[in-house]
């Protein structure tokens, strides 16, 4: 959109009514409206707060904008230095119309746009720089080098035992596990319908059939009842995904799996540190797979880890990861393997990150507590839960937008975006997506419903409580305006 078209969307005439202004504010997802005269000269501003106050003062939908616009406003000069205009913004002056020499609006500078709040930021403030510099100065930058081994040991120590092998990503970790168990054509693998596509992609890459099942309405993780209904003689594995940091209900999943000789590959990409009945995820099933993409609880840039209590499967995954080569006889290939190794550089980051895991989890817990405390008061928001048997690590604090909120999820996302708050829709249901036509699906109404309503709010290792407050205040404010507008008399 050209700058000219962008500013035109904000403009209304002096004869506009409250109804027109509300429609315009809605079309702008809550952004400011500029009131101009016939010559295009700026005469007043209207924010959603002005609309609320007008309705409280008894203005009706047909009241004219001149009765409730703010006439005393601060403006900047479009030709002025950007830094000088920025200085005019404050917690009181959150929108600054920038005018040409004749007084016509050219652009709007908003406080929020300068304070963009991303969904997630990695926190690399520990030993990351030292360890990476150590790799660079020693020359050990590829997958051979001391940090890979140190990171793997630190990781299994954190999980409390088992074996850990670092991989190039969470996806390659999942693929290694399936290949190690010989999953292939003719086999079925049960996958929750609500997850990131990588969980199902690896099944398809093995030539097996992903079978999509529904999720539990409270935790939005794999529903054991749905799993039970999906089992056939061809079922070889299930991939419970501990989605958004909440563990699956593992006991019934393990019982079903053991009874039907099904391998359990936990997808822990989003749930490092989450616990089920006091046990960390990743060593409850047969294999655990973690991701260290930049938005995860800890990051190595890209990277992953496979974990298991079974030394034989650990050995097989280790060989498969390294071209399928025998450890004793170099260039002798036992399996057609892969290069799914992690580099020493990535592992250096990983070691520095896992050293800080307790701090990261404590911060996330604080963020989630504050969100829940504040948002419980906002009608129409479904908040994430922590089942009695669970420790949720709140990878992303994901809410469901109910009709009582007064606007749908997509509209709310736009309103938050105007306030420079980045959010993310939850995953689309996997069944029915073009990539998975070879799959099979059981009915998945819960997944479909949450996919249409779910929104992840900023959550991260270095998000401050003030930033959480800003998100909550924005949600409260948007909800409040919706209610007030609904109450306006004709
Ligand atoms: C549930 C889930 N599984 C698997 C993956 C894949 O991990 P990666 O991106 O490291 O390949 C991700 C995230 O990216 C994920 O969220």
């Amino acid at each position: 959109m050209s700058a000219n078209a962008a500013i035109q969307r904000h403009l209304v005439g002096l004869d506009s009514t409250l109804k027109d202004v509300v429609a315009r504010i809605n079309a702008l997802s809550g952004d400011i409206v500029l009131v101009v005269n016939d010559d295009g000269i700026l005469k007043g501003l209207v924010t959603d707060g002005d609309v609320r106050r007008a309705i409280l003062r008894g203005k009706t939908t047909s009241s004219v904008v001149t009765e409730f616009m703010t006439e005393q406003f601060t403006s900047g000069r479009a030709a002025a230095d950007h830094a000088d205009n920025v200085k005019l913004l404050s917690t009181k002056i959150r929108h600054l119309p920038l005018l040409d020499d004749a007084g016509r609006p050219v652009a709007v500078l908003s406080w929020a746009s300068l304070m963009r709040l991303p969904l997630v930021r990695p926190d690399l403030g520990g030993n990351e720089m030292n360890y990476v510099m150590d790799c660079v100065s020693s020359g050990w930058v590829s997958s051979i080098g001391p940090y890979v081994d140190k990171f793997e040991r630190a990781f299994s120590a954190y999980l409390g035992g088992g074996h850990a092998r670092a991989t190039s990503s969470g996806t390659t970790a999942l693929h290694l596990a399936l290949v190690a168990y010989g999953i292939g054509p003719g086999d079925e693998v049960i996958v929750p319908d609500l997850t990131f596509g990588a969980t199902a992609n690896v099944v398809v890459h093995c030539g097996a059939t992903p079978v999509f099942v529904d999720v539990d309405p409270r935790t939005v993780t794999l529903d054991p009842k749905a799993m039970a209904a999906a089992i056939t003689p061809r079922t070889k594995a299930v991939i419970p995904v501990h989605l958004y940091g909440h563990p699956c209900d593992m006991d019934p999943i393990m019982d079903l799996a053991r009874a039907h000789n099904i391998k359990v590959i936990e997808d822990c990409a989003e749930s490092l540190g989450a616990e089920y009945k006091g046990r960390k995820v990743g060593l409850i099933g047969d294999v655990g797979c973690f991701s260290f993409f930049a938005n995860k609880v800890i990051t190595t840039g890209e990277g992953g880890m496979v974990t298991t209590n079974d030394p034989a499967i650990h050995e097989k995954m280790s060989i498969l990861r390294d071209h399928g080569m025998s450890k004793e006889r170099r260039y002798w290939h036992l399996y057609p393997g892969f290069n799914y190794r992690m580099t020493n550089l990535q592992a250096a980051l990983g070691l520095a990150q896992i050293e800080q895991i307790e701090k990261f989890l404590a911060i996330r817990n604080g963020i989630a507590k504050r969100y829940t405390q504040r948002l419980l008061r906002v009608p129409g928001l479904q908040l994430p839960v922590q089942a009695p048997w669970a420790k949720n690590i709140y990878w992303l604090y994901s809410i469901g937008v109910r009709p009582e909120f007064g606007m749908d999820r997509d509209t709310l996302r736009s309103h938050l975006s105007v306030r420079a708050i980045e959010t993310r829709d939850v995953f689309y249901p996997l069944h029915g997506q073009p990539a998975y036509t070879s799959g099979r699906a059981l009915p998945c109404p819960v997944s479909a419903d949450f996919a249409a309503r779910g929104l992840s709010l900023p959550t991260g290792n270095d998000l401050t409580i003030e930033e959480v407050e800003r998100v909550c205040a924005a949600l409260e404010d948007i909800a409040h305006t919706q209610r007030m507008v609904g109450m306006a008399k004709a």
Side-chain angles (χ1 to χ4, degrees):
M1 196 188 305
S2 69
N4 192 32
I7 195 66
Q8 289 299 329
R9 296 176 64 230
H10 289 265
L11 308 185
V12 297
L14 288 166
D15 55 352
S16 309
T17 63
L18 188 130
K19 190 174 172 201
D20 301 330
V21 171
V22 166
R24 187 60 67 92
I25 288 182
N26 280 341
L28 291 164
S29 301
D31 210 347
I32 194 166
V33 162
L34 309 180
V35 188
V36 292
N37 68 13
D38 290 344
D39 297 324
I41 310 290
L42 185 64
K43 291 292 171 189
L45 311 181
V46 189
T47 63
D48 55 357
D50 293 328
V51 168
R52 287 202 304 259
R53 284 184 286 277
I55 294 168
L56 279 174
R57 290 203 319 269
K59 300 291 173 201
T60 65
T61 51
S62 50
S63 298
V64 178
V65 69
T66 46
E67 295 174 32
F68 58 88
M69 68 186 189
T70 302
E71 288 172 87
Q72 305 296 321
F73 54 83
T74 305
S75 60
R77 284 194 323 113
D81 200 50
H82 178 68
D84 289 337
N85 283 330
V86 168
K87 278 187 210 141
L88 296 173
L89 289 169
S90 68
T91 46
K92 290 235 166 63
I93 300 171
R94 289 175 175 249
H95 301 273
L96 189 74
L98 303 182
L99 310 181
D100 65 12
D101 289 342
R104 287 184 297 253
V106 174
V108 179
L109 187 63
S110 73
W111 175 83
S113 65
L114 301 173
M115 305 279 289
R116 187 124 206 113
L117 186 54
L119 188 75
V120 176
R121 282 180 303 236
D123 179 349
L124 304 170
N127 281 320
E128 286 81 354
M129 190 70 98
N130 292 342
Y131 293 169
V132 168
M133 288 307 287
D134 187 28
C135 294
V136 173
S137 54
S138 68
W140 292 109
V141 293
S142 203
S143 56
I144 300 172
Y147 283 104
V148 179
D149 185 49
K150 283 185 193 172
F151 180 36
E152 288 170 347
R153 281 176 201 276
F155 198 85
S156 55
Y158 173 68
L159 288 194
H163 307 270
R165 189 56 83 222
T167 60
S168 52
S169 71
T171 306
T172 55
L174 286 164
H175 194 210
L176 273 186
L178 290 176
V179 174
Y181 281 121
I183 309 287
D187 297 337
E188 290 183 347
V189 178
I190 297 175
V191 173
D193 191 43
L194 195 69
T195 176
F196 181 55
T199 318
N201 288 345
V202 290
V203 177
V204 176
H205 287 310
C206 289
T209 305
V211 178
F212 299 109
V213 302
D214 211 356
V215 294
D216 174 89
R218 274 167 41 81
T219 65
V220 294
T221 61
L222 182 80
D223 181 350
K225 291 192 292 298
M227 171 184 165
I231 295 172
T232 72
R234 292 168 58 194
T235 311
K236 291 288 162 8
V238 59
I239 311 184
V241 181
H242 308 301
L243 200 72
Y244 295 120
H246 194 290
C248 299
D249 189 1
M250 289 305 290
D251 278 352
I253 292 172
M254 293 308 294
D255 289 348
L256 279 168
R258 295 296 174 244
H260 294 88
N261 198 20
I262 293 169
K263 295 298 174 198
V264 178
I265 298 166
E266 292 176 74
D267 184 336
C268 311
E270 304 177 357
S271 58
L272 175 60
E275 290 176 17
Y276 178 71
K277 298 189 177 170
R279 294 172 66 195
K280 289 207 174 70
V281 299
L283 290 175
I284 301 171
D286 296 290
V287 171
C289 301
F290 293 83
S291 164
F292 309 128
F293 182 65
N295 65 11
K296 297 302 191 297
V297 178
I298 65 167
T299 186
T300 58
E302 296 277 0
M305 190 77 77
V306 280
T307 53
T308 181
N309 283 314
D310 178 347
I313 206 74
H314 173 68
E315 179 71 5
K316 190 163 179 192
M317 290 192 295
S318 303
I319 294 172
L320 279 167
R321 180 194 70 150
D322 197 5
H323 299 287
M325 266 189 299
S326 161
K327 284 188 178 160
E328 286 75 39
R329 207 169 157 197
R330 210 160 177 215
Y331 307 128
W332 187 255
H333 297 266
L334 300 172
Y335 312 105
F338 313 94
N339 177 356
Y340 283 171
R341 296 176 307 229
M342 175 179 278
T343 66
N344 201 44
L345 276 168
Q346 290 167 308
L349 277 181
L351 180 65
Q353 289 269 289
I354 196 88
E355 285 171 357
Q356 303 169 77
I357 180 78
E358 297 298 355
K359 180 185 89 179
F360 290 161
L361 295 180
I363 289 170
R364 281 169 183 279
N365 193 37
I367 291 168
K369 271 203 179 121
R370 185 63 70 101
Y371 267 137
T372 301
Q373 246 172 24
R374 290 282 310 269
L375 298 182
L376 269 174
R377 290 186 250 145
V378 182
L381 295 184
Q382 170 189 338
L383 306 184
V385 298
Q386 177 163 258
W389 34 260
K391 177 180 167 192
N392 187 350
I393 53 103
Y394 300 99
W395 171 57
L396 287 180
Y397 191 93
S398 301
I399 60 173
V401 183
R402 293 203 171 103
E404 307 90 273
F405 187 78
M407 65 174 63
D408 63 20
R409 185 268 314 269
D410 293 358
T411 313
L412 176 57
R413 188 200 330 100
S414 306
H415 276 247
L416 288 167
S417 172
V418 161
R419 290 161 190 253
I421 295 170
E422 189 190 344
T423 57
R424 195 175 95 173
D425 294 354
V426 299
F427 301 116
Y428 291 108
L430 292 187
H431 80 270
Q433 292 196 29
Y436 311 117
T437 45
S438 65
R440 188 161 74 75
L442 271 66
C444 297
V446 179
S447 150
D449 171 56
F450 193 66
R453 297 188 299 105
L455 192 69
S456 299
L457 304 181
T459 327
N461 297 336
D462 75 342
L463 192 74
T464 64
I465 289 298
E466 290 71 32
E467 287 171 326
V468 175
E469 288 291 324
R470 181 175 151 202
V471 180
C472 296
L475 284 164
E476 278 174 353
D477 202 48
I478 293 165
H480 190 197
T481 302
Q482 283 304 104
R483 278 199 306 281
M484 294 300 297
V485 169
M487 283 159 57
K489 295 191 190 71

